[in-house]
Amino acid sequence: MGLVPDVNIGYIHGKNQMIESLQIFESLLAIRELKALSIVLLLNKLDVFKQQIQKNPFGDYFTDFVGREKDSEAALSYIVAKFKAAISVYDKREMKVYFIDATNIEACQATLRDIEDTVMS
């Protein structure tokens, strides 16, 4: 099972996009037929996220975030922890996490090969 949210902390139509992605992720975890599938989380547009966080402090979007406001690594760790916490509610599956920047084609290709290996094994 995969989810590819943009690592975007903005709002669309008044909704926090990351919270909406988490909600979709949780609803997928609850589907019994998907319980046997591996979980791969791709956090896309890493370059955009790092730029955004310098202009828009992460804590403005997630009030329970306790890291430094413009620390992209701390914010990414927080996001991954939120997704892992969602998994622990439903089961004990492991989740592989990838951070990708679509402008780096070689890294994207390597990531996709690794995901293919994970899913096929």
Side-chain angles (χ1 to χ4, degrees), residues 37-40 84 87 91-97:
L37 298 178
S38 300
I39 299 173
V40 175
K84 286 183 176 182
I87 293 171
D91 56 46
K92 302 295 182 215
R93 283 183 286 175
E94 293 293 317
M95 174 177 68
K96 258 195 144 165
V97 180

Side-chain angles (χ1 to χ4, degrees), residues 43-56:
L43 295 171
N44 191 20
K45 297 185 181 178
L46 191 57
D47 55 329
V48 174
F49 176 75
K50 288 180 177 182
Q51 290 171 358
Q52 281 184 341
I53 204 165
Q54 297 307 309
K55 299 175 196 167
N56 306 300

Side-chain angles (χ1 to χ4, degrees), residues 19-84:
I19 290 174
E20 190 169 25
S21 292
L22 275 164
Q23 291 168 340
I24 292 167
F25 184 71
E26 288 171 352
S27 67
L28 291 171
L29 289 172
I31 298 172
R32 184 173 41 90
E33 292 80 9
L34 300 179
K35 294 269 184 207
L37 298 178
S38 300
I39 299 173
V40 175
L41 177 66
L42 293 172
L43 295 171
N44 191 20
K45 297 185 181 178
L46 191 57
D47 55 329
V48 174
F49 176 75
K50 288 180 177 182
Q51 290 171 358
Q52 281 184 341
I53 204 165
Q54 297 307 309
K55 299 175 196 167
N56 306 300
F58 194 70
D60 291 354
Y61 301 93
F62 295 93
T63 56
D64 60 336
F65 175 69
V66 294
R68 292 190 336 257
E69 289 298 317
K70 295 183 178 184
D71 182 348
S72 61
E73 295 303 317
L76 290 169
S77 293
Y78 170 89
I79 291 167
V80 170
K82 286 289 194 184
F83 280 93
K84 286 183 176 182

